[in-house]
Amino acid sequence: MNIVLISTYDLGRQPFGLASPAGWLRQDGHSVLCVDLAISHLPSLEIRTAELVAFHLPMHTATRLAAGAIAKVRLLNPAAALCCYGLYAPLNAAYLRKLGVATILGGEFEGDLRRLASGFETVPAAVPERLQFKIPDRSGLPGFAQYPKLLANGERRRAGYTEASRGCKHFCRHCPVVPVYQGQFRVVQQDIVLADVRQQVAAGAQHISFGDPDFLNGPAHARRIVEALHREFPAITYDATIKIEHLLKHRDLLPVLRNTGCLFVITAVESVQDSTLEKLDKGHTRRDFVDAVQVCREIGLTLSPTFIPFTPWTTPDDYRDLLATLAELDLIENVAPVQLGLRLLIPAGSRLLELEEISRQVEDFDESALLYRWRHADPAMDELASRVLPLVNDGQRAKLSRRRIFEDIWELVNGVAPKEDFGLMPRATIPYMEEPWFC
Protein backbone atom coordinates (compact mmCIF):
# COMPACT_ATOMS: atom_id res chain seq x y z
CA MET A 1 0.00 0.00 0.00
CA ASN A 2 1.14 3.56 -0.73
CA ILE A 3 1.01 5.47 2.56
CA VAL A 4 1.79 9.09 3.38
CA LEU A 5 2.36 10.02 7.04
CA ILE A 6 2.09 13.74 7.76
CA SER A 7 3.21 15.92 10.67
CA THR A 8 2.03 19.52 10.69
CA TYR A 9 3.93 20.72 13.78
CA ASP A 10 6.05 18.96 16.39
CA LEU A 11 7.77 21.66 18.46
CA GLY A 12 10.55 22.13 15.91
CA ARG A 13 11.93 18.62 16.07
CA GLN A 14 12.17 15.68 13.68
CA PRO A 15 8.79 13.94 14.18
CA PHE A 16 9.04 10.76 16.23
CA GLY A 17 5.32 10.32 15.51
CA LEU A 18 6.17 9.66 11.84
CA ALA A 19 9.38 7.69 12.32
CA SER A 20 7.90 5.21 14.79
CA PRO A 21 4.93 4.00 12.69
CA ALA A 22 7.09 4.13 9.55
CA GLY A 23 9.26 1.43 11.16
CA TRP A 24 6.21 -0.80 11.57
CA LEU A 25 4.66 -0.15 8.17
CA ARG A 26 7.83 -0.48 6.10
CA GLN A 27 8.61 -3.75 7.84
CA ASP A 28 5.30 -5.04 6.46
CA GLY A 29 6.31 -4.06 2.94
CA HIS A 30 4.28 -0.87 2.58
CA SER A 31 5.64 2.13 0.70
CA VAL A 32 5.75 4.96 3.25
CA LEU A 33 6.49 8.63 2.67
CA CYS A 34 6.99 10.82 5.75
CA VAL A 35 6.20 14.51 5.31
CA ASP A 36 6.97 17.21 7.88
CA LEU A 37 4.95 20.25 6.82
CA ALA A 38 6.93 22.41 9.24
CA ILE A 39 9.90 21.91 6.89
CA SER A 40 8.49 21.02 3.48
CA HIS A 41 5.40 21.42 1.30
CA LEU A 42 2.60 18.93 0.73
CA PRO A 43 3.84 16.61 -2.08
CA SER A 44 1.00 16.77 -4.62
CA LEU A 45 2.16 13.86 -6.79
CA GLU A 46 2.60 11.43 -3.88
CA ILE A 47 -0.72 12.47 -2.36
CA ARG A 48 -2.52 11.76 -5.63
CA THR A 49 -1.19 8.19 -5.65
CA ALA A 50 -1.59 7.48 -1.93
CA GLU A 51 -4.09 4.92 -0.70
CA LEU A 52 -3.81 5.99 2.93
CA VAL A 53 -2.90 9.44 4.30
CA ALA A 54 -2.46 9.65 8.07
CA PHE A 55 -1.91 12.79 10.16
CA HIS A 56 -0.07 12.75 13.48
CA LEU A 57 -1.84 15.06 15.98
CA PRO A 58 0.16 15.16 19.23
CA MET A 59 -0.92 18.65 20.32
CA HIS A 60 -3.39 21.49 19.85
CA THR A 61 -1.40 23.53 17.32
CA ALA A 62 -0.71 20.47 15.16
CA THR A 63 -4.43 19.65 15.07
CA ARG A 64 -5.48 23.15 14.07
CA LEU A 65 -2.89 23.20 11.29
CA ALA A 66 -4.05 19.77 10.10
CA ALA A 67 -7.52 21.04 9.19
CA GLY A 68 -6.24 22.98 6.17
CA ALA A 69 -3.91 20.17 5.12
CA ILE A 70 -6.74 17.62 5.29
CA ALA A 71 -8.83 19.80 2.96
CA LYS A 72 -5.95 19.97 0.45
CA VAL A 73 -5.44 16.20 0.58
CA ARG A 74 -9.14 15.60 -0.09
CA LEU A 75 -8.99 17.87 -3.15
CA LEU A 76 -5.88 16.15 -4.49
CA ASN A 77 -7.09 12.60 -3.82
CA PRO A 78 -10.77 12.15 -2.87
CA ALA A 79 -10.34 8.36 -2.90
CA ALA A 80 -7.56 8.19 -0.31
CA ALA A 81 -8.45 6.81 3.12
CA LEU A 82 -7.81 9.46 5.77
CA CYS A 83 -6.66 8.78 9.32
CA CYS A 84 -5.70 10.96 12.26
CA TYR A 85 -3.71 9.56 15.20
CA GLY A 86 -2.13 10.81 18.41
CA LEU A 87 -3.34 12.45 21.62
CA TYR A 88 -5.50 15.11 20.04
CA ALA A 89 -7.18 12.84 17.48
CA PRO A 90 -9.70 11.13 19.81
CA LEU A 91 -10.28 14.39 21.71
CA ASN A 92 -11.47 15.99 18.45
CA ALA A 93 -12.93 12.97 16.71
CA ALA A 94 -16.30 14.56 15.86
CA TYR A 95 -14.67 17.58 14.24
CA LEU A 96 -12.15 15.48 12.31
CA ARG A 97 -14.90 13.22 10.96
CA LYS A 98 -16.69 16.30 9.63
CA LEU A 99 -13.50 17.08 7.71
CA GLY A 100 -13.69 13.65 6.07
CA VAL A 101 -11.37 11.63 8.31
CA ALA A 102 -12.59 8.04 8.46
CA THR A 103 -10.28 6.58 11.11
CA ILE A 104 -9.35 8.09 14.49
CA LEU A 105 -6.59 6.49 16.58
CA GLY A 106 -5.34 7.51 20.02
CA GLY A 107 -2.23 6.94 22.09
CA GLU A 108 -0.55 3.68 21.12
CA PHE A 109 -1.21 4.09 17.42
CA GLU A 110 1.47 1.96 15.75
CA GLY A 111 -0.35 -1.35 16.01
CA ASP A 112 -3.65 0.14 14.86
CA LEU A 113 -2.00 1.86 11.89
CA ARG A 114 -0.46 -1.44 10.94
CA ARG A 115 -3.84 -3.17 11.10
CA LEU A 116 -5.48 -0.36 9.14
CA ALA A 117 -2.87 -0.61 6.37
CA SER A 118 -3.42 -4.37 6.23
CA GLY A 119 -7.13 -3.94 5.67
CA PHE A 120 -8.35 -4.81 9.14
CA GLU A 121 -10.95 -2.84 11.05
CA THR A 122 -9.48 -0.77 13.87
CA VAL A 123 -11.41 -0.23 17.08
CA PRO A 124 -9.25 1.70 19.57
CA ALA A 125 -9.25 0.18 23.05
CA ALA A 126 -10.63 2.14 26.02
CA VAL A 127 -7.10 2.12 27.46
CA PRO A 128 -4.12 2.12 25.05
CA GLU A 129 -2.66 -1.32 24.46
CA ARG A 130 0.82 -2.42 25.50
CA LEU A 131 3.12 -2.65 22.51
CA GLN A 132 6.41 -4.31 21.77
CA PHE A 133 7.89 -1.33 20.00
CA LYS A 134 10.02 -1.38 16.86
CA ILE A 135 12.98 0.82 15.98
CA PRO A 136 11.72 4.06 14.40
CA ASP A 137 12.59 4.44 10.72
CA ARG A 138 13.78 8.00 10.14
CA SER A 139 14.80 7.57 6.51
CA GLY A 140 13.29 10.22 4.27
CA LEU A 141 12.77 12.75 7.07
CA PRO A 142 14.61 16.11 6.92
CA GLY A 143 18.04 16.05 8.55
CA PHE A 144 18.75 17.62 11.92
CA ALA A 145 20.47 20.58 10.27
CA GLN A 146 17.04 21.78 9.11
CA TYR A 147 15.53 21.88 12.60
CA PRO A 148 15.96 24.37 15.48
CA LYS A 149 19.06 23.79 17.56
CA LEU A 150 19.96 23.55 21.21
CA LEU A 151 21.89 26.59 22.44
CA ALA A 152 24.35 25.91 25.25
CA ASN A 153 27.41 27.93 26.27
CA GLY A 154 27.23 29.92 23.05
CA GLU A 155 27.23 26.75 20.93
CA ARG A 156 24.42 25.56 18.63
CA ARG A 157 23.97 21.78 18.74
CA ARG A 158 21.86 19.57 16.48
CA ALA A 159 19.04 18.13 18.56
CA GLY A 160 17.27 14.80 18.22
CA TYR A 161 14.20 13.45 19.98
CA THR A 162 12.93 10.13 21.28
CA GLU A 163 10.52 8.69 23.84
CA ALA A 164 11.29 6.27 26.66
CA SER A 165 7.67 6.06 27.80
CA ARG A 166 4.19 7.30 26.97
CA GLY A 167 1.18 8.20 29.03
CA CYS A 168 1.32 9.28 32.66
CA LYS A 169 0.37 7.98 36.09
CA HIS A 170 -1.04 11.36 37.12
CA PHE A 171 -4.35 13.14 36.53
CA CYS A 172 -3.55 16.85 36.15
CA ARG A 173 -6.86 18.43 35.16
CA HIS A 174 -5.58 20.48 32.23
CA CYS A 175 -3.39 17.78 30.64
CA PRO A 176 -4.46 16.22 27.29
CA VAL A 177 -2.65 12.97 28.18
CA VAL A 178 -5.19 12.19 30.91
CA PRO A 179 -8.36 11.62 28.81
CA VAL A 180 -6.46 9.26 26.51
CA TYR A 181 -4.28 7.28 28.95
CA GLN A 182 -6.44 7.55 32.08
CA GLY A 183 -3.55 7.22 34.51
CA GLN A 184 -1.72 4.53 32.55
CA PHE A 185 1.80 4.80 31.22
CA ARG A 186 3.61 2.60 28.75
CA VAL A 187 7.34 1.86 28.69
CA VAL A 188 9.26 1.86 25.42
CA GLN A 189 11.70 -1.03 25.63
CA GLN A 190 15.27 0.03 26.47
CA ASP A 191 16.87 -1.59 23.44
CA ILE A 192 14.47 0.30 21.15
CA VAL A 193 15.18 3.63 22.83
CA LEU A 194 18.94 3.16 22.62
CA ALA A 195 18.77 1.96 19.01
CA ASP A 196 16.82 5.09 18.12
CA VAL A 197 19.35 7.31 19.88
CA ARG A 198 22.17 5.44 18.16
CA GLN A 199 20.80 6.10 14.68
CA GLN A 200 20.18 9.77 15.48
CA VAL A 201 23.74 10.23 16.73
CA ALA A 202 25.00 8.57 13.56
CA ALA A 203 22.92 11.10 11.60
CA GLY A 204 24.52 14.01 13.43
CA ALA A 205 22.46 14.57 16.60
CA GLN A 206 24.50 16.02 19.47
CA HIS A 207 21.68 16.32 21.99
CA ILE A 208 18.55 14.24 22.65
CA SER A 209 15.23 15.46 24.04
CA PHE A 210 13.26 12.79 25.87
CA GLY A 211 9.64 13.66 25.14
CA ASP A 212 8.00 11.51 27.82
CA PRO A 213 5.14 13.31 29.62
CA ASP A 214 7.14 12.54 32.77
CA PHE A 215 10.56 10.93 32.53
CA LEU A 216 10.40 9.64 36.10
CA ASN A 217 7.05 7.87 35.87
CA GLY A 218 9.30 4.83 35.67
CA PRO A 219 12.43 5.93 37.60
CA ALA A 220 14.32 2.64 37.33
CA HIS A 221 13.62 2.46 33.58
CA ALA A 222 14.81 6.05 33.12
CA ARG A 223 17.97 5.46 35.11
CA ARG A 224 18.92 2.37 33.11
CA ILE A 225 18.44 4.26 29.85
CA VAL A 226 20.49 7.34 30.73
CA GLU A 227 23.31 5.29 32.25
CA ALA A 228 23.47 3.11 29.14
CA LEU A 229 23.26 6.19 26.92
CA HIS A 230 26.15 7.85 28.73
CA ARG A 231 28.32 4.73 28.62
CA GLU A 232 27.94 4.51 24.86
CA PHE A 233 27.88 8.25 24.05
CA PRO A 234 29.58 10.20 26.86
CA ALA A 235 29.61 13.42 24.80
CA ILE A 236 25.88 13.38 24.05
CA THR A 237 23.68 15.59 26.24
CA TYR A 238 19.95 15.36 26.82
CA ASP A 239 16.93 16.97 28.46
CA ALA A 240 13.79 15.51 30.01
CA THR A 241 10.43 16.58 31.44
CA ILE A 242 9.85 15.80 35.14
CA LYS A 243 7.11 16.83 37.59
CA ILE A 244 7.98 18.91 40.65
CA GLU A 245 6.55 16.06 42.71
CA HIS A 246 8.99 13.60 41.14
CA LEU A 247 11.99 15.93 41.40
CA LEU A 248 11.50 15.89 45.17
CA LYS A 249 10.45 12.25 45.54
CA HIS A 250 13.37 10.98 43.43
CA ARG A 251 15.96 13.58 44.34
CA ASP A 252 18.48 10.77 44.77
CA LEU A 253 18.33 10.27 40.98
CA LEU A 254 19.07 13.90 40.11
CA PRO A 255 22.86 13.54 40.47
CA VAL A 256 22.61 10.55 38.12
CA LEU A 257 20.88 12.74 35.55
CA ARG A 258 23.51 15.47 35.93
CA ASN A 259 26.39 13.00 35.69
CA THR A 260 25.01 11.30 32.58
CA GLY A 261 24.69 14.50 30.56
CA CYS A 262 21.30 16.00 31.42
CA LEU A 263 21.59 19.68 30.51
CA PHE A 264 18.21 20.78 31.80
CA VAL A 265 14.90 19.53 33.14
CA ILE A 266 11.59 20.95 31.95
CA THR A 267 9.00 21.03 34.71
CA ALA A 268 5.37 22.13 34.45
CA VAL A 269 4.97 24.41 37.47
CA GLU A 270 1.88 26.14 35.97
CA SER A 271 1.27 28.50 38.91
CA VAL A 272 2.82 29.75 42.16
CA GLN A 273 -0.61 30.05 43.81
CA ASP A 274 -1.57 27.04 45.93
CA SER A 275 -5.28 27.56 45.28
CA THR A 276 -4.74 27.36 41.51
CA LEU A 277 -2.42 24.36 41.80
CA GLU A 278 -5.10 22.56 43.79
CA LYS A 279 -7.72 23.25 41.12
CA LEU A 280 -5.35 21.95 38.45
CA ASP A 281 -4.65 18.86 40.60
CA LYS A 282 -0.92 19.32 40.03
CA GLY A 283 0.28 17.36 43.05
CA HIS A 284 2.67 20.06 44.27
CA THR A 285 2.59 23.35 46.16
CA ARG A 286 4.38 26.67 45.87
CA ARG A 287 6.72 25.52 48.65
CA ASP A 288 7.47 22.34 46.69
CA PHE A 289 8.41 24.43 43.67
CA VAL A 290 10.78 26.58 45.72
CA ASP A 291 12.30 23.44 47.26
CA ALA A 292 12.76 21.84 43.84
CA VAL A 293 14.55 24.96 42.58
CA GLN A 294 16.91 24.79 45.55
CA VAL A 295 17.53 21.04 45.21
CA CYS A 296 18.32 21.29 41.49
CA ARG A 297 20.54 24.33 42.01
CA GLU A 298 22.56 22.57 44.72
CA ILE A 299 23.01 19.53 42.47
CA GLY A 300 23.92 21.64 39.44
CA LEU A 301 20.92 20.67 37.33
CA THR A 302 19.29 23.48 35.33
CA LEU A 303 15.53 23.79 35.76
CA SER A 304 13.33 25.14 32.94
CA PRO A 305 9.89 25.84 34.45
CA THR A 306 6.75 26.23 32.35
CA PHE A 307 3.61 28.10 33.38
CA ILE A 308 -0.04 28.80 32.59
CA PRO A 309 -0.15 32.32 34.04
CA PHE A 310 -3.62 33.29 32.83
CA THR A 311 -6.40 31.14 34.31
CA PRO A 312 -9.97 31.92 35.39
CA TRP A 313 -8.58 32.26 38.94
CA THR A 314 -5.59 34.52 38.27
CA THR A 315 -5.76 37.98 39.83
CA PRO A 316 -3.55 40.98 39.00
CA ASP A 317 -1.75 40.41 42.30
CA ASP A 318 -1.20 36.75 41.38
CA TYR A 319 0.44 37.72 38.10
CA ARG A 320 2.66 40.29 39.77
CA ASP A 321 3.56 37.66 42.35
CA LEU A 322 4.60 35.25 39.60
CA LEU A 323 6.98 37.82 38.13
CA ALA A 324 8.37 38.70 41.55
CA THR A 325 8.85 35.02 42.42
CA LEU A 326 10.83 34.35 39.23
CA ALA A 327 13.02 37.35 40.00
CA GLU A 328 13.55 36.31 43.64
CA LEU A 329 14.46 32.76 42.63
CA ASP A 330 16.81 34.00 39.88
CA LEU A 331 14.82 32.11 37.24
CA ILE A 332 14.12 34.83 34.69
CA GLU A 333 16.68 33.44 32.26
CA ASN A 334 15.35 29.89 32.78
CA VAL A 335 11.82 30.70 31.59
CA ALA A 336 10.96 31.08 27.90
CA PRO A 337 9.10 34.42 27.59
CA VAL A 338 6.10 32.74 25.92
CA GLN A 339 5.48 31.00 29.24
CA LEU A 340 4.51 34.37 30.73
CA GLY A 341 1.75 34.93 28.16
CA LEU A 342 -0.10 31.61 27.95
CA ARG A 343 -3.80 31.33 28.69
CA LEU A 344 -5.42 28.18 30.08
CA LEU A 345 -6.53 25.99 27.20
CA ILE A 346 -9.59 23.79 27.79
CA PRO A 347 -9.79 21.10 25.09
CA ALA A 348 -12.52 18.54 24.58
CA GLY A 349 -12.51 15.87 27.28
CA SER A 350 -10.60 18.04 29.75
CA ARG A 351 -10.91 17.20 33.44
CA LEU A 352 -11.24 20.94 34.03
CA LEU A 353 -14.89 20.53 33.03
CA GLU A 354 -15.40 18.54 36.22
CA LEU A 355 -15.11 21.81 38.14
CA GLU A 356 -18.52 23.40 38.53
CA GLU A 357 -17.07 26.90 38.31
CA ILE A 358 -15.47 26.04 34.95
CA SER A 359 -18.59 24.40 33.53
CA ARG A 360 -20.52 27.58 34.40
CA GLN A 361 -17.90 29.86 32.91
CA VAL A 362 -17.09 28.25 29.56
CA GLU A 363 -18.94 28.99 26.35
CA ASP A 364 -19.98 26.35 23.83
CA PHE A 365 -17.18 24.26 22.38
CA ASP A 366 -15.53 26.01 19.43
CA GLU A 367 -14.81 23.23 16.95
CA SER A 368 -12.60 25.26 14.63
CA ALA A 369 -10.49 26.49 17.56
CA LEU A 370 -10.62 23.05 19.24
CA LEU A 371 -11.35 24.46 22.68
CA TYR A 372 -13.90 25.78 25.12
CA ARG A 373 -13.67 29.55 25.21
CA TRP A 374 -13.82 31.28 28.57
CA ARG A 375 -13.76 34.81 29.89
CA HIS A 376 -12.29 35.98 33.16
CA ALA A 377 -14.71 37.40 35.71
CA ASP A 378 -12.44 40.45 35.76
CA PRO A 379 -12.25 41.89 32.20
CA ALA A 380 -8.97 43.57 33.15
CA MET A 381 -7.30 40.16 33.30
CA ASP A 382 -8.38 39.28 29.77
CA GLU A 383 -7.12 42.68 28.67
CA LEU A 384 -3.77 42.03 30.35
CA ALA A 385 -3.46 38.63 28.72
CA SER A 386 -4.21 40.18 25.32
CA ARG A 387 -1.34 42.63 25.82
CA VAL A 388 1.32 40.34 27.31
CA LEU A 389 1.47 37.72 24.54
CA PRO A 390 1.92 40.23 21.68
CA LEU A 391 4.61 41.91 23.78
CA VAL A 392 6.39 38.57 24.04
CA ASN A 393 5.99 37.80 20.33
CA ASP A 394 7.25 41.23 19.31
CA GLY A 395 10.22 40.88 21.64
CA GLN A 396 11.15 37.49 20.24
CA ARG A 397 10.87 38.73 16.65
CA ALA A 398 13.17 41.60 17.59
CA LYS A 399 15.56 39.04 19.16
CA LEU A 400 15.42 40.76 22.53
CA SER A 401 16.92 38.93 25.49
CA ARG A 402 14.75 37.08 27.95
CA ARG A 403 15.68 39.65 30.59
CA ARG A 404 14.60 42.55 28.37
CA ILE A 405 11.25 40.92 27.55
CA PHE A 406 10.72 40.17 31.24
CA GLU A 407 11.45 43.80 32.10
CA ASP A 408 8.95 44.97 29.46
CA ILE A 409 6.27 42.71 30.95
CA TRP A 410 7.16 43.93 34.46
CA GLU A 411 6.72 47.54 33.36
CA LEU A 412 3.41 46.73 31.64
CA VAL A 413 2.05 45.07 34.77
CA ASN A 414 3.47 47.36 37.44
CA GLY A 415 3.44 50.66 35.57
CA VAL A 416 7.13 51.28 36.26
CA ALA A 417 10.37 49.74 35.12
CA PRO A 418 12.02 47.36 37.61
CA LYS A 419 14.44 49.18 39.88
CA GLU A 420 16.35 46.30 41.38
CA ASP A 421 19.21 44.42 39.78
CA PHE A 422 17.89 40.89 39.37
CA GLY A 423 21.39 39.43 39.51
CA LEU A 424 20.88 37.22 36.49
CA MET A 425 23.30 34.59 35.32
CA PRO A 426 24.87 35.20 31.90
CA ARG A 427 22.44 33.94 29.24
CA ALA A 428 24.95 31.56 27.69
CA THR A 429 25.08 29.48 30.88
CA ILE A 430 21.37 28.51 30.60
CA PRO A 431 20.82 25.89 27.87
CA TYR A 432 17.62 26.15 25.85
CA MET A 433 16.05 25.11 22.56
CA GLU A 434 15.73 27.67 19.76
CA GLU A 435 12.10 26.74 19.20
CA PRO A 436 10.01 28.33 22.00
CA TRP A 437 7.81 25.74 23.68
CA PHE A 438 4.20 25.85 22.58
CA CYS A 439 1.30 23.41 22.75
Side-chain angles (χ1 to χ4, degrees), residues 62-81:
T63 309
R64 293 200 66 183
L65 291 172
I70 289 169
K72 292 178 182 178
V73 167
R74 292 191 69 195
L75 284 174
L76 289 169
N77 187 350

Side-chain angles (χ1 to χ4, degrees), residues 171-328:
F171 290 87
C172 303
R173 288 191 190 277
H174 59 300
C175 180
V177 175
V178 174
V180 176
Y181 281 88
Q182 300 176 44
Q184 304 290 315
F185 93 106
R186 300 286 182 258
V187 164
V188 180
Q189 291 76 28
Q190 179 177 327
D191 60 328
I192 299 298
V193 177
L194 294 175
D196 188 31
V197 171
R198 197 173 292 123
Q199 66 179 344
Q200 292 184 73
V201 172
Q206 300 163 295
H207 176 89
I208 297 293
S209 290
F210 285 101
D212 312 38
D214 193 295
F215 196 54
L216 294 187
N217 267 320
H221 176 63
R223 178 173 189 156
R224 286 192 294 268
I225 285 175
V226 298
E227 289 180 336
L229 168 63
H230 188 63
R231 281 195 300 271
E232 187 169 354
F233 301 109
I236 296 298
T237 57
Y238 66 90
D239 66 83
T241 299
I242 303 173
K243 283 173 64 69
I244 293 291
E245 178 181 351
H246 285 171
L247 289 172
L248 297 177
K249 181 179 179 180
H250 303 295
R251 65 183 69 193
D252 59 308
L253 286 181
L254 302 187
V256 175
L257 299 183
R258 178 202 60 204
N259 294 338
T260 54
C262 184
L263 278 188
F264 61 96
V265 168
I266 301 166
T267 189
V269 180
E270 316 301 28
S271 175
V272 295
Q273 302 301 319
D274 284 339
S275 57
T276 298
L277 292 169
E278 184 176 355
K279 292 179 190 298
L280 296 177
D281 202 4
K282 279 300 299 178
H284 71 258
T285 64
R286 177 193 183 105
R287 181 71 253 173
D288 292 334
F289 168 48
V290 173
D291 289 347
V293 170
Q294 183 63 27
V295 166
C296 289
R297 190 160 282 156
E298 289 174 355
I299 290 171
L301 194 60
T302 298
L303 208 59
S304 295
T306 64
F307 296 93
I308 307 174
F310 292 101
T311 74
W313 314 288
T314 307
T315 68
D317 285 343
D318 291 342
Y319 193 77
R320 283 190 286 269
D321 182 42
L322 171 62
L323 299 182
T325 300
L326 295 180
E328 290 166 7

Side-chain angles (χ1 to χ4, degrees), residues 332-337 400-406 427 432:
I332 296 171
E333 294 286 3
N334 298 58
V335 178
L400 300 181
S401 68
R402 288 186 173 186
R403 176 178 183 173
R404 171 62 187 279
I405 295 173
F406 181 90
R427 185 66 191 93
Y432 69 104

